[in-house]
């Protein structure tokens, strides 16, 4: 359920920026949530047993892809989080909204 809410919020923000159509905004939001969830899974593996070289490369590719989708959508990356207990990706939304205990300076988290 949380993922659907995150997708809806991201989709609305992307569409409100005006760079993407509502349909493209929804696709970007779904892809961002999917990529952030994959990154969070790698964070869990890193915490439990460490990452292999292949998994490290996968993590770098995920981060690169997330940055590309954010740029395309007109959103700004705040930071990546490697702690599996929190969100994997934090964004700076245009109105300064946030959904974590870090407050406005931490940003809006996506992922699990």
């Amino acid at each position: 359920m949380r993922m659907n809410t995150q997708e809806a919020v991201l989709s609305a923000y992307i569409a409100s920026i005006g760079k993407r159509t509502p349909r493209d905004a929804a696709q970007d939001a779904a892809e961002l949530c999917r990529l952030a969830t994959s990154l969070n899974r790698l964070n869990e593996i890193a915490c439990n047993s460490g990452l292999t070289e292949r998994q490290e490369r996968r993590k770098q590719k995920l981060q690169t892809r997330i940055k590309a989708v954010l740029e395309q959508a007109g959103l700004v990356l705040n930071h990546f989080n490697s702690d599996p207990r929190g969100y994997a990706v934090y964004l700076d939304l245009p109105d300064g909204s946030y959904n974590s205990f870090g407050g406005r300076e931490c940003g809006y988290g996506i992922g699990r």
Side-chain angles (χ1 to χ4, degrees):
M1 184 67 151
R2 182 186 318 164
M3 193 59 68
N4 291 337
T5 303
Q6 287 178 348
E7 283 182 31
V9 168
L10 284 176
S11 179
Y13 276 108
I14 293 168
S16 74
I17 293 171
K19 289 182 73 175
R20 309 285 283 163
T21 65
R23 180 180 182 171
D24 291 337
Q27 290 172 345
D28 289 345
E31 184 175 7
L32 281 170
C33 289
R34 183 183 56 79
L35 292 169
T37 300
S38 296
L39 187 59
N40 195 23
R41 285 191 194 113
L42 286 175
N43 289 340
E44 289 173 356
I45 293 168
C47 183
N48 290 330
S49 60
L51 296 177
T52 64
E53 287 182 35
R54 181 179 181 198
Q55 290 168 328
E56 283 287 347
R57 286 191 306 271
R58 171 97 173 113
K59 184 175 181 176
Q60 291 300 317
K61 286 181 182 179
L62 283 170
Q63 290 177 344
T64 302
R65 181 65 186 141
I66 288 169
K67 289 176 186 176
V69 174
L70 287 173
E71 183 178 327
Q72 172 181 314
L75 294 175
V76 178
L77 174 71
N78 186 305
H79 68 280
F80 290 110
N81 182 21
S82 60
D83 188 343
R85 295 173 293 181
Y87 294 110
V89 180
Y90 287 89
L91 313 173
D92 287 331
L93 295 180
D95 70 349
S97 297
Y98 60 92
N99 63 346
S100 66
F101 292 116
R104 181 171 284 198
E105 56 275 346
C106 191
Y108 186 87
I110 59 173
R112 280 194 294 169

